[in-house]
Amino acid sequence: MTLAPITLSDIRAARERIAGKVERTPTVLSPSLSGHLGAPVYLKLEHRQTTGSFKLRGASNAIASLNAEEKARGVVAASTGNHGRALAHAAKLEGMRATICMSRLVPQNKLDEIRRLGAEIRIVGNSQDDAQQEVERLVAEEGLVMLPPFDHPDIIAGQGTLGLEIIEQVADAALVLVPLSGGGLAAGVAAAVKGVSPSTKVIGVSMARGAAMKASLDAGHPVLVEELPTLADSLGGGIGLDNRLTFSMCGDLLDDVILLSEDEIAAGIRHPYEQEREIVEGAGAVGIAAVLAGKVRASGPTVLILSGRNIDMTLHRKIICGEAIEEHAAWAG
């Protein structure tokens, strides 16, 4: 069943609901990238968000939207890491039980942070789909409330609050580049941005290795895509064959989708460290990578969302030093 798309009013209501629970992150001009693109380039520093990624917005809104009986049951979700960390944080603030199911591809540093926040962890299989099966078992057998990482109205509306901030901070934005995986961030940001500024273009950016949303949009319906290790590990996983919201919203709202090679993503990770003095994970660096790779054309101010910083620092050091990373498994931590 396809649900009604998330509206601008839903996103504004989410902002009121999560006020005081998330940071309003800054947006800054990047002289180096502006010179490269030939137009003003702004960086939305969402990687400075509490828990290190945008995911806290959606998780906080979803938790705040639960009733007392649902909160007492506890929550469960599949995650590539950042949603799990955000949900664990939001649940801990409410004194709730949280269980996070993840595949073996999730980097160890993300597992450690989720465990530190007190959530239960289940490692299942080699894909998000495998982890999701465990989620569904826990919902059926233990009565936990499922809060998925992207295809949920409260998650999408929460992520959309980032789009409201972008347009408030760069009112004349001509283009916004948003990391694209399951589509929760892309759908929410696009709904907010285009709801306020219809002429602003929104383009999704993903890795070439296992870009499930791009493959699904090309096919005209959700499809299964093999999940492969990638430097942009947070963008891994499928969109769900029974996707109810993000597939249709991304199809309706995104102006294009850009795919990147692993070498291009590595360059995107290096640039903010060397030029902006920022540590950004692969998924958060894809907008920068797209600009550096010459895959973006802009007619005016362009905003890149740096969506997360939760990268394994040993891997980050190898990338910065230009060391060869030959084993795909090593990229995933």
Side-chain angles (χ1 to χ4, degrees):
M1 179 183 66
T2 300
L3 301 177
I6 304 307
T7 66
L8 186 59
S9 62
D10 295 326
I11 296 169
R12 285 174 169 156
R15 177 155 70 171
E16 294 297 320
R17 204 174 287 122
I18 65 177
K21 299 178 181 179
V22 304
E23 297 291 331
R24 179 183 172 89
T25 53
T27 297
V28 300
L29 180 69
S30 169
S32 63
L33 290 169
S34 298
H36 193 93
L37 186 62
V41 174
Y42 294 87
L43 304 178
K44 176 61 170 168
L45 306 182
E46 187 64 13
H47 65 301
R48 296 185 185 178
Q49 184 61 255
T50 308
T51 74
S53 86
F54 73 94
K55 290 286 190 177
L56 187 60
R57 295 173 183 268
S60 296
N61 188 48
I63 290 286
S65 300
L66 297 176
N67 60 38
E69 185 271 335
E70 290 170 325
K71 289 181 178 180
R73 286 157 56 192
V75 295
V76 62
S79 174
T80 54
N82 285 338
H83 175 64
R85 183 174 178 179
L87 197 61
H89 177 89
K92 184 177 183 179
L93 292 180
E94 295 287 334
M96 293 171 53
R97 174 188 178 187
T99 301
I100 311 301
C101 302
M102 293 171 284
S103 80
R104 296 184 184 93
L105 294 180
V106 176
Q108 186 62 44
N109 66 300
K110 294 184 177 180
L111 297 178
D112 292 343
E113 284 301 314
I114 293 169
R115 188 174 287 112
R116 182 183 63 80
L117 288 166
E120 302 171 38
I121 292 178
R122 307 287 178 94
I123 305 299
V124 183
N126 294 307
S127 71
Q128 279 279 85
D129 292 334
D130 293 338
Q132 181 60 32
Q133 290 180 10
E134 177 67 5
V135 169
E136 292 167 3
R137 186 189 71 79
L138 291 170
V139 170
E141 297 181 7
E142 300 187 23
L144 298 181
V145 177
M146 180 171 60
L147 291 179
F150 52 87
D151 197 35
H152 187 286
D154 294 327
I155 297 291
I156 297 169
Q159 318 304 25
T161 62
L162 195 156
L164 293 180
E165 291 180 16
I166 287 173
I167 290 300
E168 290 167 354
Q169 293 165 333
V170 187
D172 58 346
L175 173 64
V176 176
L177 297 186
V178 54
L180 176 63
S181 179
L185 178 63
V189 166
V193 168
K194 289 181 177 290
V196 177
S197 177
S199 64
T200 302
K201 291 184 177 181
V202 180
I203 293 178
V205 189
S206 195
M207 70 289 176
R209 292 173 58 83
M213 182 61 79
K214 171 62 169 157
S216 297
L217 292 173
D218 288 346
H221 57 85
V223 298
L224 292 175
V225 174
E226 183 182 4
E227 187 172 347
L228 299 169
T230 170
L231 288 174
D233 56 89
S234 292
L235 301 184
I239 71 167
L241 294 181
D242 58 348
N243 188 289
R244 301 184 300 165
L245 278 168
T246 60
F247 171 73
S248 61
M249 290 183 69
C250 286
D252 290 341
L253 296 172
L254 292 183
D255 293 282
D256 198 1
V257 175
I258 295 170
L259 298 183
L260 300 166
S261 71
E262 295 299 311
D263 286 342
E264 289 167 342
I265 295 169
I269 293 171
R270 282 192 293 270
H271 182 91
Y273 182 79
E274 294 171 349
Q275 300 295 325
E276 316 291 344
R277 301 299 185 260
E278 300 285 350
I279 294 174
V280 183
E281 65 181 279
V286 292
I288 292 174
V291 170
L292 294 176
K295 295 183 175 180
V296 178
R297 293 183 179 180
S299 59
T302 297
V303 182
L304 316 181
I305 298 173
L306 309 192
S307 58
R309 68 167 183 260
N310 299 322
I311 187 171
D312 178 87
M313 291 309 296
T314 299
L315 174 61
H316 187 270
R317 184 164 55 253
K318 289 181 178 180
I319 294 169
I320 297 305
C321 294
E323 295 181 23
I325 305 172
E326 297 178 354
E327 293 292 333
H328 290 316
W331 294 354

